[in-house]
Each structure stands twice: as C-alpha cells, then as structure tokens.
Amino acid sequence: MDIQSTVKNLHPLEVRIIRHYKSGDELTIEKVESDLGFKPGNGNQALSWLQSKEIVQELRREMRIYYELTELGREWKEKGTPEERMIELVRNRKEITLPDIAQALGLDNKDVGSAFGTLSKLGIFAMNGAKRVFLLRAAQMMESGKPFGAEADQLFPIVRGLLDKAHAAPNYILANDDLSQAERVAIVGISKKRGASGSPFRIIERETVVFAFTAVRDELAGALDAAGITGDEIGTLTPEMLSDGSWKGRAFRSYNVKVPPTRLIVGRTNPYAKFLEDVKDKLVSLGFEEFDGPLVETEFWNSDALFMPQFHSARDIHDVYHVAEPEKAQSIEEPWLSNIAEAHENGGKTGSRGWNYTFDREFTRRLILRSQGTVLSAKQLPTAKIPGKYFGMARCFRYDRVDATHLSDFYQTEGIVLGEEVNLRTLLGFLEMFAVEVAGAKDVKYVPGYFPFTEPSVEVHIKHPVLGWFELGGSGIFRPEVTQSLGVSVPVAAWGIGIDRMALMALGLNDLRELFSNDIENVRLRRADA
Ligand SMILES: N[C@@H](Cc1ccccc1)C(=O)O
C-alpha cells in the first residue's frame, strides 16, 4: 500500500477511527458510532470504506441482542406509561372506577386492569366498596413529590429511564451491552407480562461484524500524525461558517480530484418508446397525417378489403387470432361491402376479373385481432385527401413462433401516399428513408415480393451485424381492386414496415424480446437518442 497517497485520500470519518483506536482493538458499527459520536449510518460507511482499503478486516460475526422501542414504547415515552398516567389521573380525581380510567386515558381495559394490579400490589392504589380506585398514602406521596413506594421506586424509574434512553438512541435501538443487568431484567419482565406484541420494547437478534485493524494501522496513524491530519478538518465550507467565522483557525480537507463521481441515474424515456416517438416526429415533419384504429377489426377490413381471397391459402400467411365473444360485427358499411364483394367475385367496376368465387358475407363480419397495419390504410381510403400522406403505428397480432426476429404481437409503421404523380419511384424513396435514415442500415436490398393487394410489390431487406439479412417490411402500389372499390382513382403507394425490427437495428440489439425487457440495468444502457 502506498501510505502517503492513502493518507491523503482518507475520509475524516476513517481518520478518526484510525486515530482513536489501537491495533488489536475490536471494532463494531455500534461501538464506533457511540465512542466517536458518529451519526447513525456513518459507522457502517466508514468501516466498509476501511475494509475495502484493507485497513480493517472482518474478525468474526456474532449474534447480538438489541432492544428496539416499539410504537407503543414511543407513545409511553411521550404520554407516560399506563401506571404513570393512572397515578396522575387518580391523584386529580381522588376516586374513579376502572372503566372511567380507561375511558379518560384512552387505554384499553386490559392495560388498566393490569396496571391497577401492579399498583395495588405495590400499595399505591386501593379500591373502595363502590369499586372506585383511590390513592393509598396519598398525603405521603404528595409530600415527597414521588408517587412511588420503596419497591416502585426501583422498577418505574428503570422503565422511564429505558424509554428515555431508547428514544435518544439511533433508530430507537439499544444494544444489550449498553444496559445494566436491572434494565435487561425489566425489559424481559415487561415483554413477558404484556406479550411480545403489547410490549414497549421489541427484542431483536442481529448479526454484528467484529472488525480489527490490519497490519498497516500503526504506519498509517504515524503518517497521519506527521501530516497533521486529525479528522476534524472541514470538508464542506458552508455559508453559515463564512458568516459566523467558525472556519477560522480550522484546517481544511484536501481535494481528491481523482475520485470517480457518483453515478447519477436520471429519469428518461424508455429508449424504444423514444424511438417510436422519433419515427412519428420524422413522418409528421414530412407532412404525414397520423391515423389510428382499434385492435379488434373485422375480416372485411383486415383482409377482404385488401383483396385477399377469403378461402385461399394465401390468407394463411396471416395466422389471425379470433375473438370468441362477440364472434362477429353487426354489419359492414355500404357501399364498401358490395364493392369489395363484387371485386372478389368478378372484379366489379375495377377492371379486374376478380377471384371468381362467391363472397361470404357472414365470414367477412368475423372479429379478429388485426394482423396488419394495412387495415388502417384500407379504412382511410374512402375519406383520404388527394393528394395525401398518412401513417400509423399499429400494434398487430399474429399467431407466430417467438424468436429473435418474430413476436406474436409487434408494431408496424404503416403508410400510404396518394396522388396523380405517385409511382414506384415515390415508394422506393420512402423505403430508403426507413431503411437508411431511421433504421440506420448500411446494406439494403429491394426485392420483388407478392401481396394480394399490391402490384408491383417490393420487399425491403436490411443486413443486421449479428442476425444477418432480414425483411424489414413489405410495400407496393395498391391494386385497383382495392382503390377503386374504396372510392380512390389515383395511384396509392403503401408500405408496412416492422418498426420493432427497425428499432433492433437502430438501438443495436440482437433480439426483439430485448425491446420489451424489464431488466432496468439493461434498459439504462441503451442509447435513447439513437
Ligand atoms: N401488410 C403487409 C406489408 C405491406 C403493407 C403495404 C403494402 C404492401 C405490403 C405485411 O404485413 O406483410
């Protein structure tokens, strides 16, 4: 150990311990606090600092007995013990029944009865034929100013003294060693008589660590002496000290600029929530309007309106959760229901030949948890402005096996752009913004895809440093079967991007499940500003 630099970096509490005790002394938290007048908690702090510097070491652990003042004890200390209060009352009222005593003092009958027993045994109280309590030897007690007879003089002051002592002790706790034999007997006696729950003291057994100095103590104490460090140095100069001049003539503690500052844990937004907000802000700043909708939707809006054939295996790519109660919506709004039904059956007025099957108007009312954010886009079309730009953050549900890149509920950021001038180039521009600017991907791929509601369709894939290539989302230009049926006659570019997957990339995570982790340390480490 480098004695010189250790000496300079000791805290005054540590210095005082080193100087006050000798090698070979046994130290405990309580002892140090009471010998040196430390505040509660300072003993523990100083000894653990000294231990980490290997100036003290643990010698052994002992079970020790302590007595803690209970709530009741604190009340007794303030208002008086039942005995004290009863003597006072009877002295004033001369004669009074036990129930009246209980009522006057707010004590329960049991306490009053037992205090009466004690006091009559001691020859202080007696009861007359009318069951009224009166003071024996009243005159004598008045004179001496002491309500107690010889025996009482022994017991009551002990209890009173204990209450005062415990009240002054750190955390209302007295150590066994601090008490006289008579005091211990008194506590145990009261607790036995009143039962543990009715006692003014709680008896606790606690493990105490006994420390002793290591071999460096003497050398350190010598170096402290030589440096003139006493532990009474001023650590903090306060305005009061300046105005009353009490700093004069005192030594100051030297600064240690190498001490690492305490870690400040400030409150801040969850990084994932922040990410979602940032994406929203970005879209709003680009002139997008936000849309939203319920988690429970109909088959109609979730899929049929998007030209997904009702009983085709293509529908299986979305393993949807069904609502059990109620099973179906009451109705679907017209003319959308008929328009879409015709589009499926024969193309209707959309210029398509349709899927060529009989549209099931019962099935289409079935309630499900939405499986794609595109449901919001479909519902927006009938009232969309042209030109117009819309987005939504949609929590979606699919019956899926959970792994690093799949969750059974997830967020998509859905978007549509409507306008005469909209085309594939418009779409690719937005896809690039999501992949590069929002997700922060370096490697991006746009590949042809298939969705029943878009033509052409484009999938965007990005390369994650650990997970490799994965699909970020799907997109395309809505088919006329969708747009014409829902009252729109201009091109509509549409996309649904897995926002959780973007966050995975942007926040430097390797598993989607981490986004929803409640491991606070882990969450704190994430960059919220990504
Ligand atoms: N809804 C599609 C993505 C998509 C949205 C919009 C247009 C084309 C594709 C999906 O969840 O996979």
Side-chain angles (χ1 to χ4, degrees):
M1 173 186 297
D2 175 354
I3 297 288
Q4 288 316 319
S5 80
T6 306
V7 157
K8 266 193 264 153
N9 295 330
L10 289 172
H11 188 275
L13 293 172
E14 297 175 284
V15 172
R16 289 172 59 197
I17 292 176
I18 296 171
R19 293 175 54 98
H20 188 267
Y21 298 99
K22 317 185 290 303
S23 286
D25 283 348
E26 295 194 349
L27 312 174
T28 64
I29 293 171
E30 294 79 23
K31 189 163 149 75
V32 164
E33 285 181 355
S34 81
D35 289 351
L36 296 171
F38 283 4
K39 282 189 271 171
N42 278 354
N44 179 30
Q45 220 170 15
L47 284 171
S48 67
W49 290 333
L50 287 169
Q51 186 180 23
S52 68
K53 292 176 187 150
E54 296 180 4
I55 298 170
V56 302
Q57 64 199 0
E58 192 177 314
L59 209 55
R60 61 176 185 279
R61 286 169 182 248
E62 288 174 356
M63 291 311 281
R64 296 203 177 175
I65 294 174
Y66 298 85
Y67 307 98
E68 184 187 22
L69 202 58
T70 59
E71 275 301 318
L72 181 70
R74 286 177 227 178
E75 190 185 313
W76 282 18
K77 141 84 183 151
E78 299 307 333
K79 296 193 188 158
T81 63
E83 286 83 359
E84 287 171 337
R85 293 161 68 191
M86 281 166 63
I87 290 172
E88 190 63 31
L89 182 76
V90 175
R91 183 192 280 160
N92 292 333
R93 299 271 197 97
K94 311 296 184 225
E95 284 186 13
I96 178 169
T97 63
L98 289 178
D100 285 348
I101 294 180
Q103 213 198 354
L105 296 176
L107 291 170
D108 59 51
N109 290 324
K110 220 176 95 220
D111 275 352
V112 171
S114 108
F116 173 75
T118 313
L119 291 166
S120 38
K121 229 186 276 161
L122 292 167
I124 296 173
F125 275 0
M127 197 180 268
N128 64 21
K131 293 215 162 183
R132 289 171 187 273
V133 179
F134 62 97
L135 267 177
L136 280 177
R137 298 186 282 128
Q140 180 195 330
M141 288 175 197
M142 293 292 214
E143 221 171 276
S144 66
K146 279 205 253 167
F148 313 121
E151 272 177 88
D153 267 354
Q154 279 188 343
L155 181 62
F156 294 154
I158 287 187
V159 173
R160 169 61 30 199
L162 273 170
L163 294 175
D164 290 344
K165 215 169 169 181
H167 210 259
N171 300 320
Y172 305 101
I173 293 175
L174 292 168
N176 204 37
D177 296 349
D178 298 339
L179 301 182
S180 69
Q181 186 60 25
E183 287 174 318
R184 284 181 216 141
V185 170
I187 292 183
V188 173
I190 296 178
S191 302
K192 220 182 242 159
K193 194 164 145 218
R194 302 186 54 92
S197 58
S199 171
F201 290 98
R202 186 175 299 123
I203 304 178
I204 37 188
E205 241 189 310
R206 247 206 265 170
E207 192 178 58
T208 296
V209 183
V210 180
F211 294 94
F213 286 113
T214 61
V216 296
R217 187 262 158 203
D218 289 346
E219 208 183 331
L220 276 174
L224 284 169
D225 263 344
I229 301 173
T230 63
D232 292 325
E233 290 77 16
I234 297 177
T236 318
L237 189 60
T238 62
E240 292 73 34
M241 289 167 147
L242 286 173
S243 66
D244 67 15
S246 61
W247 60 272
K248 282 182 196 152
R250 301 268 309 271
F252 288 87
R253 207 183 149 200
S254 59
Y255 281 110
N256 177 4
V257 292
K258 292 196 190 119
V259 171
T262 40
R263 180 174 163 207
L264 274 185
I265 298 179
V266 293
R268 62 178 205 199
T269 317
N270 175 291
Y272 177 59
K274 171 93 166 57
F275 179 77
L276 296 180
E277 281 306 313
D278 290 349
V279 174
K280 275 192 192 190
D281 286 350
K282 174 159 224 124
L283 290 166
V284 170
S285 74
L286 289 172
F288 279 79
E289 281 177 55
E290 185 171 358
F291 53 40
D292 202 358
L295 300 182
V296 174
E297 290 283 4
T298 51
E299 288 278 6
F300 179 82
W301 287 111
N302 189 78
S303 309
D304 297 345
L306 289 161
F307 203 53
M308 295 168 82
Q310 288 182 314
F311 304 105
H312 192 276
S313 58
R315 195 84 161 223
D316 297 343
I317 57 169
H318 291 199
D319 290 312
V320 297
Y321 288 104
H322 296 190
V323 175
E325 178 64 41
E327 239 178 87
K328 287 181 178 150
Q330 282 176 352
S331 60
I332 304 289
E333 236 186 297
E334 288 291 6
W336 320 127
L337 173 61
S338 298
N339 289 357
I340 292 291
E342 276 171 38
H344 280 245
E345 286 175 348
N346 52 41
K349 296 180 205 74
T350 67
S352 162
R353 274 178 290 153
W355 292 113
N356 203 10
Y357 71 102
T358 310
F359 188 82
D360 186 333
R361 291 175 178 238
E362 287 295 305
F363 173 87
T364 199
R365 290 194 285 115
R366 225 167 46 153
L367 291 171
I368 58 171
L369 294 186
R370 71 177 168 211
S371 70
Q372 54 182 342
T374 319
V375 60
L376 298 175
S377 298
K379 286 178 114 176
Q380 185 66 37
L381 288 182
T383 54
K385 289 182 222 153
I386 295 169
K389 290 190 271 200
Y390 297 89
F391 82 99
M393 300 286 184
R395 191 172 191 181
C396 304
F397 302 84
R398 284 183 208 172
Y399 185 76
D400 215 341
R401 177 176 307 194
V402 172
D403 64 24
T405 53
H406 293 86
L407 297 175
S408 55
D409 67 286
F410 53 95
Y411 284 90
Q412 284 185 330
T413 177
E414 205 65 29
I416 45 173
V417 178
L418 311 87
E420 279 313 337
E421 314 292 315
V422 168
N423 55 31
L424 197 59
R425 188 187 292 266
T426 323
L427 179 64
L428 290 171
F430 282 111
L431 294 183
E432 177 164 309
M433 179 193 83
F434 282 113
V436 178
E437 279 182 49
V438 180
K442 298 248 174 341
D443 302 302
V444 187
K445 246 182 350 197
Y446 306 92
V447 298
Y450 172 77
F451 301 100
F453 38 96
T454 47
E455 182 60 39
S457 304
V458 183
E459 285 177 5
V460 51
H461 295 243
I462 59 173
K463 194 173 170 194
H464 183 279
V466 173
L467 301 169
W469 287 102
F470 59 66
E471 186 191 336
L472 203 54
S475 70
I477 306 291
F478 273 152
R479 297 176 69 101
E481 288 90 337
V482 176
T483 50
Q484 298 283 354
S485 306
L486 298 173
V488 171
S489 52
V490 296
V492 179
W495 57 83
I497 310 275
I499 192 151
D500 302 333
R501 291 179 171 193
M502 278 202 286
L504 201 62
M505 185 79 190
L507 299 176
L509 299 175
N510 300 328
D511 193 312
L512 280 180
R513 287 164 288 198
E514 283 183 71
L515 288 176
F516 305 96
S517 157
N518 57 8
D519 173 351
I520 189 78
E521 269 306 312
N522 207 1
V523 173
R524 277 186 185 131
L525 290 175
R526 305 258 159 268
R527 284 171 48 220
D529 55 357

Short mmCIF file of all heavy atoms in Angstrom, two decimals, residues 318 371-374 398 410 412 414-415 451 453-454 457-458 471 473-476 478 494-497, ligand 1:
data_model
loop_
_atom_site.label_atom_id
_atom_site.label_comp_id
_atom_site.label_asym_id
_atom_site.label_seq_id
_atom_site.Cartn_x
_atom_site.Cartn_y
_atom_site.Cartn_z
N HIS A 318 -51.24 -15.01 -42.77
CA HIS A 318 -51.59 -14.29 -41.54
C HIS A 318 -52.36 -15.24 -40.64
O HIS A 318 -53.53 -15.51 -40.88
CB HIS A 318 -52.49 -13.10 -41.85
CG HIS A 318 -51.76 -12.01 -42.57
ND1 HIS A 318 -52.23 -10.73 -42.60
CD2 HIS A 318 -50.60 -12.00 -43.26
CE1 HIS A 318 -51.40 -9.98 -43.30
NE2 HIS A 318 -50.40 -10.74 -43.71
N SER A 371 -54.13 -8.12 -37.98
CA SER A 371 -52.89 -8.83 -38.25
C SER A 371 -51.93 -7.99 -39.07
O SER A 371 -50.79 -8.37 -39.27
CB SER A 371 -53.19 -10.15 -38.97
OG SER A 371 -53.63 -9.88 -40.28
N GLN A 372 -52.41 -6.85 -39.58
CA GLN A 372 -51.51 -5.97 -40.33
C GLN A 372 -51.98 -4.53 -40.22
O GLN A 372 -53.17 -4.24 -40.18
CB GLN A 372 -51.45 -6.40 -41.80
CG GLN A 372 -52.79 -6.51 -42.48
CD GLN A 372 -52.67 -6.98 -43.92
OE1 GLN A 372 -51.59 -6.90 -44.50
NE2 GLN A 372 -53.76 -7.45 -44.50
N GLY A 373 -51.00 -3.65 -40.19
CA GLY A 373 -51.31 -2.23 -40.10
C GLY A 373 -52.04 -1.74 -41.34
O GLY A 373 -52.69 -0.69 -41.32
N THR A 374 -51.96 -2.50 -42.43
CA THR A 374 -52.57 -2.09 -43.69
C THR A 374 -54.09 -1.93 -43.56
O THR A 374 -54.72 -1.25 -44.35
CB THR A 374 -52.21 -3.10 -44.81
OG1 THR A 374 -50.84 -3.45 -44.64
CG2 THR A 374 -52.38 -2.50 -46.18
N ARG A 398 -50.16 -11.80 -34.65
CA ARG A 398 -50.18 -12.99 -35.49
C ARG A 398 -49.74 -14.15 -34.64
O ARG A 398 -48.86 -14.02 -33.81
CB ARG A 398 -49.23 -12.87 -36.68
CG ARG A 398 -49.76 -11.99 -37.77
CD ARG A 398 -48.83 -11.94 -38.95
NE ARG A 398 -49.01 -10.65 -39.63
CZ ARG A 398 -48.24 -10.22 -40.61
NH1 ARG A 398 -47.23 -10.96 -41.04
NH2 ARG A 398 -48.47 -9.05 -41.17
N PHE A 410 -46.60 -7.24 -32.41
CA PHE A 410 -45.50 -6.40 -32.88
C PHE A 410 -46.07 -5.12 -33.46
O PHE A 410 -47.28 -5.01 -33.66
CB PHE A 410 -44.70 -7.15 -33.96
CG PHE A 410 -45.56 -7.66 -35.08
CD1 PHE A 410 -45.72 -6.93 -36.25
CD2 PHE A 410 -46.25 -8.85 -34.95
CE1 PHE A 410 -46.55 -7.37 -37.27
CE2 PHE A 410 -47.08 -9.30 -35.97
CZ PHE A 410 -47.23 -8.58 -37.13
N GLN A 412 -46.13 -2.23 -36.48
CA GLN A 412 -45.78 -1.90 -37.86
C GLN A 412 -46.00 -0.40 -38.03
O GLN A 412 -46.93 0.16 -37.45
CB GLN A 412 -46.71 -2.61 -38.85
CG GLN A 412 -46.39 -4.08 -39.03
CD GLN A 412 -47.25 -4.73 -40.11
OE1 GLN A 412 -48.38 -4.31 -40.34
NE2 GLN A 412 -46.71 -5.74 -40.76
N GLU A 414 -47.23 1.93 -40.71
CA GLU A 414 -47.96 1.76 -41.96
C GLU A 414 -48.02 3.12 -42.63
O GLU A 414 -48.10 4.13 -41.94
CB GLU A 414 -49.37 1.30 -41.59
CG GLU A 414 -50.06 0.54 -42.65
CD GLU A 414 -49.40 -0.77 -42.97
OE1 GLU A 414 -48.75 -1.36 -42.07
OE2 GLU A 414 -49.50 -1.20 -44.12
N GLY A 415 -47.96 3.13 -43.93
CA GLY A 415 -48.07 4.43 -44.58
C GLY A 415 -48.68 4.33 -45.96
O GLY A 415 -48.54 3.30 -46.64
N PHE A 451 -47.95 -9.49 -52.62
CA PHE A 451 -49.05 -9.26 -51.67
C PHE A 451 -50.31 -9.17 -52.53
O PHE A 451 -50.27 -8.59 -53.61
CB PHE A 451 -48.86 -7.94 -50.90
CG PHE A 451 -47.58 -7.91 -50.12
CD1 PHE A 451 -46.47 -7.24 -50.62
CD2 PHE A 451 -47.46 -8.57 -48.89
CE1 PHE A 451 -45.27 -7.23 -49.92
CE2 PHE A 451 -46.27 -8.56 -48.19
CZ PHE A 451 -45.16 -7.90 -48.70
N PHE A 453 -52.72 -7.39 -52.39
CA PHE A 453 -53.30 -6.05 -52.55
C PHE A 453 -52.40 -5.06 -53.26
O PHE A 453 -52.78 -3.90 -53.45
CB PHE A 453 -53.72 -5.49 -51.18
CG PHE A 453 -52.77 -5.83 -50.05
CD1 PHE A 453 -51.79 -4.93 -49.66
CD2 PHE A 453 -52.88 -7.05 -49.38
CE1 PHE A 453 -50.93 -5.25 -48.62
CE2 PHE A 453 -52.01 -7.36 -48.33
CZ PHE A 453 -51.04 -6.47 -47.95
N THR A 454 -51.21 -5.45 -53.64
CA THR A 454 -50.32 -4.51 -54.35
C THR A 454 -49.78 -5.12 -55.65
O THR A 454 -49.62 -6.33 -55.76
CB THR A 454 -49.12 -4.11 -53.48
OG1 THR A 454 -48.57 -5.28 -52.88
CG2 THR A 454 -49.52 -3.13 -52.39
N SER A 457 -45.13 -5.29 -56.12
CA SER A 457 -44.87 -5.36 -54.69
C SER A 457 -43.37 -5.42 -54.46
O SER A 457 -42.65 -6.05 -55.24
CB SER A 457 -45.50 -6.62 -54.09
OG SER A 457 -46.88 -6.66 -54.35
N VAL A 458 -42.92 -4.75 -53.42
CA VAL A 458 -41.49 -4.70 -53.12
C VAL A 458 -41.26 -5.03 -51.66
O VAL A 458 -41.95 -4.51 -50.79
CB VAL A 458 -40.92 -3.27 -53.38
CG1 VAL A 458 -39.41 -3.24 -53.15
CG2 VAL A 458 -41.27 -2.78 -54.77
N GLU A 471 -36.09 -9.32 -43.40
CA GLU A 471 -37.06 -8.47 -44.08
C GLU A 471 -37.52 -7.38 -43.12
O GLU A 471 -37.90 -7.66 -42.00
CB GLU A 471 -38.25 -9.31 -44.52
CG GLU A 471 -39.23 -8.52 -45.36
CD GLU A 471 -40.54 -9.26 -45.58
OE1 GLU A 471 -40.54 -10.51 -45.51
OE2 GLU A 471 -41.56 -8.57 -45.80
N GLY A 473 -39.85 -5.04 -44.19
CA GLY A 473 -41.28 -4.84 -44.43
C GLY A 473 -41.63 -5.02 -45.88
O GLY A 473 -40.78 -5.29 -46.72
N GLY A 474 -42.95 -4.88 -46.13
CA GLY A 474 -43.45 -5.05 -47.48
C GLY A 474 -44.07 -3.75 -47.96
O GLY A 474 -44.37 -2.86 -47.17
N SER A 475 -44.25 -3.66 -49.29
CA SER A 475 -44.80 -2.42 -49.84
C SER A 475 -45.27 -2.67 -51.26
O SER A 475 -45.10 -3.75 -51.80
CB SER A 475 -43.71 -1.35 -49.83
OG SER A 475 -42.72 -1.68 -50.79
N GLY A 476 -45.83 -1.65 -51.83
CA GLY A 476 -46.24 -1.77 -53.23
C GLY A 476 -47.19 -0.66 -53.60
O GLY A 476 -47.42 0.27 -52.83
N PHE A 478 -51.05 -0.02 -54.45
CA PHE A 478 -52.32 -0.72 -54.26
C PHE A 478 -52.96 -1.08 -55.60
O PHE A 478 -52.98 -0.26 -56.53
CB PHE A 478 -53.31 0.14 -53.46
CG PHE A 478 -53.19 0.00 -51.97
CD1 PHE A 478 -53.55 1.07 -51.14
CD2 PHE A 478 -52.77 -1.19 -51.37
CE1 PHE A 478 -53.47 0.95 -49.76
CE2 PHE A 478 -52.69 -1.31 -49.99
CZ PHE A 478 -53.04 -0.24 -49.18
N ALA A 494 -48.06 2.17 -50.86
CA ALA A 494 -48.36 1.72 -49.49
C ALA A 494 -47.21 0.88 -48.96
O ALA A 494 -46.52 0.20 -49.72
CB ALA A 494 -49.64 0.89 -49.50
N TRP A 495 -47.00 0.95 -47.65
CA TRP A 495 -45.98 0.09 -47.05
C TRP A 495 -46.37 -0.28 -45.62
O TRP A 495 -47.20 0.40 -45.00
CB TRP A 495 -44.61 0.76 -47.02
CG TRP A 495 -44.60 2.08 -46.29
CD1 TRP A 495 -44.50 2.25 -44.95
CD2 TRP A 495 -44.72 3.37 -46.87
NE1 TRP A 495 -44.54 3.58 -44.64
CE2 TRP A 495 -44.68 4.30 -45.79
CE3 TRP A 495 -44.86 3.85 -48.18
CZ2 TRP A 495 -44.78 5.67 -46.01
CZ3 TRP A 495 -44.95 5.21 -48.37
CH2 TRP A 495 -44.91 6.12 -47.30
N GLY A 496 -45.77 -1.34 -45.16
CA GLY A 496 -45.92 -1.75 -43.76
C GLY A 496 -44.55 -2.22 -43.29
O GLY A 496 -44.04 -3.24 -43.76
N ILE A 497 -43.94 -1.41 -42.44
CA ILE A 497 -42.56 -1.69 -42.03
C ILE A 497 -42.56 -2.19 -40.59
O ILE A 497 -43.25 -1.63 -39.73
CB ILE A 497 -41.70 -0.41 -42.10
CG1 ILE A 497 -41.86 0.31 -43.44
CG2 ILE A 497 -40.25 -0.69 -41.75
CD1 ILE A 497 -40.98 -0.20 -44.53
N1 LIG B 1 -49.17 -5.65 -44.67
C1 LIG B 1 -48.03 -6.30 -45.25
C2 LIG B 1 -46.98 -5.30 -45.68
C3 LIG B 1 -47.45 -4.41 -46.78
C4 LIG B 1 -48.05 -3.20 -46.49
C5 LIG B 1 -48.48 -2.33 -47.51
C6 LIG B 1 -48.28 -2.73 -48.83
C7 LIG B 1 -47.68 -3.94 -49.14
C8 LIG B 1 -47.29 -4.75 -48.13
C9 LIG B 1 -47.42 -7.24 -44.21
O1 LIG B 1 -47.80 -7.18 -43.10
O2 LIG B 1 -46.56 -8.04 -44.52
#
